[in-house]
């Protein structure tokens, strides 16, 4: 008997109201402290899955268990970092974070609340901007506040919906580093949606690949075999990096569109480890189209 | 850039002043007498005053208006019986009516607009009624008000109430309904209670729209009170205008017009300040 996963998505269904579904019978489990990235093209229902995890969207079937209990609506256990930061523009940075802290611990004194907010504003490196309004901040700084707000309530899980997609490349890189550091420090369980393959390889322990919608499925789960103490600077030097990267890109370009789902066990999608020695599927054997990606790999 | 901006403001102010002076000059010249006209019957001349003998226009000039403006301003609160009260007292009556009617409308429109804005069903269900009621001239309610309330002053307050209601109600409902979904979602994920969500998320988010509705309302209310008071009579600046017209005192009418404009400007600017105070840059 395997230990009960922290999060267990079981047979999730989301339909458009007709016979065609966004996705159907979706299964995924997430362990505590794991960083999961979900990759897929627009329209495959990624955000719907995240919103279902957050409790913001209703689904049409299946359920999500957290610590063995079914999720019912939004909860302070699961903090969301929104793509568009979603800060309240009439509150200062401090006010925005304190708003969350007060929601989490309504009984706290003002001083305690302020200190908690302050600690997380400092954590994301915005100590000097605590009294500024969001409109006075750059896009990257706003997203940092969003991260501070989400972390300040000390959630059991962090949900991120393409948190860096609206930022320029330079800011994105810095923020990725910080999220990596903070999540490792706090042993945070994270579920993140991204379009960015490099971002996924940098941050995720496992990368979940979804086919295109409608009727999207989890095609494959890629295990990231890069060492956990990886950093953005030397990511590309690791021998596994390009193998994983090529595998992911090849999926996005090719297989996500024309995925052969015959023989796919939706409850246990194949787990691959393209890192060590090329894309060798571990579980259900599968003549992977990824083999075509071989010539692109660097030889070692 | 600031230098250019300042100079534009300065130039605009200068132009305003020039236009004002030009207008006053034209006004002054237009109402000048044309000198002695053809001899008339002295009895008739006595009756008609200088407008008949000197060709002087019955329309007062800017200097006449200015001097009576000072007279009004230097003693605004005298009370010599129902038909002779200082302009300050009359404006006071009008302001009390406007503020009472407006205040009642705020008390109804804000909570009601909030509830309607929160419920897409109510919003849709009630919208046709609002759209029908909104274009009705508030004075059309006057006979109905007089018949049911049976008090002229209360009826004019009711008319102010009804004309202030719609812009505030519609703006509040619209502002509340169009609060950004992501802010509501933040509140949801933080398990914020309904009251705290209403006061700390929805209200500040919708405040600029709501206060803008109030600004429109107070403007309309001030427009309508003059007409309402002309209709019901008794007291108020509208009654004052009509009374002075019956006295054929055009100077006083022009004075009243000036005062109405100034008070209206003041009310509007107060709400404009408030709008600015609650507006948040994004």
């Amino acid at each position: 008997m395997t230990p009960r996963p922290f999060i267990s998505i079981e047979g999730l269904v989301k339909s458009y109201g007709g016979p065609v579904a966004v996705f159907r019978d979706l299964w995924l489990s997430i362990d505590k402290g794991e960083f999961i990235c979900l990759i897929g093209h627009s329209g495959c229902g990624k955000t719907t899955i995240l919103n279902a995890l957050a409790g913001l969207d209703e689904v049409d079937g299946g359920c999500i268990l957290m610590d063995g209990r079914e999720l019912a609506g939004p909860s302070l256990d699961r903090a969301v970092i929104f793509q568009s930061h979603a800060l309240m523009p009439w509150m200062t940075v401090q006010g925005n974070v304190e708003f969350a802290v007060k929601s989490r611990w309504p009984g706290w004194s003002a001083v305690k609340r302020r200190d908690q907010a302050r600690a997380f504003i400092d954590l994301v490196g915005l100590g000097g901007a605590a009294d500024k309004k969001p409109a006075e901040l750059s896009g990257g700084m706003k997203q940092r506040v969003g991260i501070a707000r989400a972390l300040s309530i000390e959630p059991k899980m962090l949900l991120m919906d393409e948190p860096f997609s609206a930022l320029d490349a330079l800011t994105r890189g810095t923020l990725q580093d910080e999220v990596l550091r903070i999540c490792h420090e706090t042993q945070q369980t994270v579920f993140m949606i991204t379009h960015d393959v490099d971002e996924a390889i940098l941050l995720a322990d496992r990368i979940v690949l979804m086919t295109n919608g409608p009727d999207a499925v989890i095609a494959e789960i890629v295990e990231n075999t890069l060492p956990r103490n990886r950093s953005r600077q030397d990511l590309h030097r690791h021998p596994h990096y390009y193998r994983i990267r090529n595998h992911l890109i090849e999926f996005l370009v090719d297989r996500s569109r024309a995925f052969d789902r015959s023989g796919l066990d939706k409850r246990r999608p194949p787990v691959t480890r393209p890192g060590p020695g090329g894309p060798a599927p571990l579980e259900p054997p599968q003549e992977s189209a990824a083999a075509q990606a071989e010539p692109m790999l660097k030889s070692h | 850039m600031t230098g250019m901006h300042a100079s534009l403001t300065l130039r605009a102010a200068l132009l305003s002043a020039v236009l004002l002076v030009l207008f006053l000059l034209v006004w002054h010249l237009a109402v000048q007498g044309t000198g002695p006209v053809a001899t008339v019957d002295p009895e008739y001349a006595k009756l008609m005053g200088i407008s008949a003998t000197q060709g002087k226009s019955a329309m007062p000039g800017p200097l006449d208006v200015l001097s009576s403006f000072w007279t009004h301003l230097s003693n605004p609160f005298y009370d010599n019986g129902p038909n002779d009260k200082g302009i300050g007292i009359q404006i006071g009556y009008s302001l009390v009516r406007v503020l009472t009617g407006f205040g009642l409308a705020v008390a109804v429109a804000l909570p009601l607009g909030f509830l309607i804005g929160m419920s897409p069903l109510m919003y849709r269900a009630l919208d046709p009624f609002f759209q029908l009621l909104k274009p009705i001239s508030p004075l059309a309610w006057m006979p109905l008000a007089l018949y049911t309330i049976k008090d002229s002053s209360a009826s004019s307050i009711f008319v102010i109430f009804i004309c202030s209601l719609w812009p505030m109600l519609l703006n509040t409902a619209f502002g509340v309904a169009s609060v950004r979904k992501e802010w509501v979602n933040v509140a949801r994920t933080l398990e914020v209670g309904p009251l705290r969500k209403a006061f700390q998320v929805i209200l500040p988010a919708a405040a600029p729209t709501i206060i803008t509705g109030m600004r429109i309302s107070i403007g309309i209310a001030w427009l309508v009170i003059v007409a309402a008071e002309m209709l019901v009579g008794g007291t108020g600046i509208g009654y004052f205008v009509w009374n002075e017209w019956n006295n054929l005192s055009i100077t006083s009418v022009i004075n009243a017009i000036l005062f109405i404009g100034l008070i209206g400007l003041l009310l509007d600017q107060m709400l404009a300040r408030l709008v600015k105070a609650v507006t948040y840059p994004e």
Side-chain angles (χ1 to χ4, degrees):
Chain A
M1 171 117 187
T2 49
R4 196 174 61 190
F6 176 55
I7 291 278
S8 181
I9 299 175
E10 303 189 350
L12 216 58
V13 181
K14 179 76 185 181
S15 67
Y16 295 111
V20 181
V22 184
F23 51 76
R24 199 193 300 278
D25 200 19
L26 192 105
W27 295 72
L28 179 70
S29 55
I30 302 169
D31 289 328
K32 210 166 185 90
E34 220 182 354
F35 200 126
I36 299 278
C37 270
L38 180 64
I39 290 193
H41 288 287
S42 306
C44 73
K46 299 186 303 270
T47 300
T48 312
I49 297 172
L50 185 126
N51 282 349
L53 276 167
L56 291 171
D57 267 5
E58 296 278 326
V59 286
D60 302 303
C63 64
I64 302 176
L65 304 179
M66 181 172 181
D67 275 335
R69 282 192 180 170
E70 186 170 353
L71 297 187
S75 152
L76 284 155
D77 287 341
R78 284 158 277 132
V80 184
I81 295 174
F82 295 88
Q83 181 175 8
S84 54
H85 63 75
L87 300 178
M88 320 262 180
W90 56 89
M91 295 181 191
T92 60
V93 167
Q94 179 85 22
N96 268 287
V97 180
E98 272 193 36
F99 181 78
V101 174
K102 190 172 181 186
S103 310
R104 181 74 177 82
W105 297 284
W108 274 17
S109 69
V111 177
K112 205 167 176 194
R113 204 161 62 221
R114 196 193 60 213
D115 291 347
Q116 171 82 358
R118 196 60 207 223
F120 282 90
I121 294 168
D122 287 339
L123 182 73
V124 296
L126 281 180
D131 296 324
K132 289 195 170 155
K133 292 271 176 73
E136 302 169 72
L137 305 179
S138 68
M141 289 163 94
K142 282 181 203 160
Q143 198 50 278
R144 278 165 200 258
V145 182
I147 294 167
R149 177 173 64 184
L151 291 170
S152 71
I153 60 170
E154 296 175 14
K156 289 185 182 163
M157 186 180 195
L158 212 52
L159 302 167
M160 299 196 256
D161 188 0
E162 299 185 37
F164 312 125
S165 61
L167 306 176
D168 64 278
L170 224 66
T171 316
R172 194 186 308 148
T174 336
L175 270 181
Q176 283 165 355
D177 284 344
E178 283 188 31
V179 163
L180 190 66
R181 171 180 64 84
I182 292 168
C183 289
H184 282 175
E185 274 173 16
T186 55
Q187 291 292 304
Q188 197 54 254
T189 309
V190 187
F191 180 85
M192 175 168 151
I193 291 174
T194 180
H195 279 302
D196 185 337
V197 167
D198 286 321
E199 185 170 279
I201 299 173
L202 174 65
L203 298 174
D205 302 316
R206 289 193 297 153
I207 301 161
V208 178
L209 306 180
M210 268 186 99
T211 62
N212 292 3
D215 259 330
V217 293
I218 294 179
E220 185 180 321
I221 296 173
V222 174
E223 277 190 8
N224 191 350
T225 44
L226 291 171
R228 256 210 130 172
N229 62 355
R230 57 192 173 263
S231 74
R232 199 159 44 91
Q233 282 77 20
D234 50 49
L235 199 64
H236 61 280
R237 295 205 189 91
H238 197 277
H240 292 181
Y241 170 73
Y242 278 105
R243 293 196 198 129
I244 299 173
R245 190 172 195 277
N246 289 342
H247 185 78
L248 295 178
I249 286 179
E250 180 265 344
F251 174 84
L252 282 178
V253 172
D254 234 10
R255 286 203 299 140
S256 63
R257 194 161 19 90
F259 180 72
D260 174 21
R261 55 186 73 189
S262 60
L264 176 75
D265 180 359
K266 285 185 170 181
R267 289 192 179 211
R268 295 193 309 133
V271 178
T272 55
R273 308 180 77 200
L282 290 183
E283 268 167 56
Q286 176 195 27
E287 57 300 314
S288 171
Q292 296 162 3
E294 269 302 322
M296 289 165 69
L297 296 178
K298 272 188 171 177
S299 54
H300 284 276
Chain B
M1 284 312 276
T2 5
M4 254 182 82
H5 182 74
S7 93
L8 181 66
T9 315
L10 196 70
R11 279 171 14 221
L14 215 67
L15 189 60
S16 295
V18 168
L19 287 172
L20 180 67
V21 168
L22 212 66
F23 167 72
L24 291 175
L25 203 69
V26 170
W27 180 10
H28 179 74
L29 292 175
V31 297
Q32 279 305 301
T34 50
V37 288
T39 46
V40 289
D41 178 9
E43 283 296 313
Y44 179 69
K46 217 167 163 185
L47 206 65
M48 295 307 289
I50 48 170
S51 58
T53 51
Q54 300 292 309
K56 171 96 172 72
S57 166
M59 183 63 84
L63 293 173
D64 306 322
V65 171
L66 194 72
S67 75
S68 85
F69 190 79
W70 282 122
T71 322
H72 281 299
L73 214 57
S74 53
N75 186 15
F77 298 113
Y78 71 89
D79 189 352
N80 300 337
N83 274 333
D84 191 11
K85 291 186 203 304
I87 200 160
I89 289 187
Q90 302 290 28
I91 288 176
Y93 274 113
S94 300
L95 271 178
V96 166
R97 281 177 195 138
V98 163
L99 294 181
T100 311
F102 179 78
L104 287 172
V106 171
V108 172
L110 286 199
L112 199 61
F114 220 93
L115 291 178
I116 295 167
M118 297 288 268
S119 155
L121 176 72
M122 291 298 275
Y123 195 99
R124 288 215 175 180
L126 292 175
D127 196 53
F129 296 106
F130 295 151
Q131 298 304 339
L132 178 73
L133 290 168
K134 197 174 59 164
I136 296 172
S137 164
L139 291 168
W141 294 97
M142 187 60 100
L144 219 54
L146 285 169
Y147 178 71
T148 45
I149 304 174
K150 297 188 173 62
D151 176 88
S152 64
S153 189
S155 295
S156 47
I157 290 174
F158 172 77
V159 165
I160 294 301
F161 165 79
I162 208 91
C163 77
S164 311
L165 191 66
W166 311 121
M168 266 194 272
L169 197 59
L170 287 170
N171 264 43
T172 306
F174 175 76
V176 168
S178 45
V179 169
R180 291 248 289 272
K181 185 105 190 294
E182 50 183 54
W183 295 331
V184 179
N185 276 346
V186 168
R188 284 178 67 199
T189 57
L190 292 174
E191 294 185 67
V192 174
L195 266 183
R196 189 161 169 248
K197 187 174 103 179
F199 282 102
Q200 294 193 4
V201 180
I202 311 267
L203 193 62
T209 320
I210 295 173
I211 311 279
T212 301
M214 289 186 181
R215 190 179 169 191
I216 298 169
S217 282
I218 198 111
I220 295 175
W222 190 242
L223 290 180
V224 166
I225 193 67
V226 175
E229 286 168 346
M230 281 181 180
L231 211 58
V232 297
T235 47
I237 189 72
Y239 170 71
F240 178 84
V241 172
W242 202 247
N243 200 29
E244 293 303 317
W245 161 237
N246 285 333
N247 293 342
L248 272 181
S249 172
I250 305 294
T251 320
S252 288
V253 170
I254 295 176
N255 263 307
I257 289 173
L258 265 175
F259 275 111
I260 292 169
L262 286 173
I263 302 288
L265 180 75
L266 209 69
L267 290 174
D268 184 63
Q269 284 307 302
M270 271 157 54
L271 268 299
R273 284 273 174 90
L274 205 57
V275 171
K276 212 175 161 194
V278 298
T279 299
Y280 44 85
E282 287 204 47

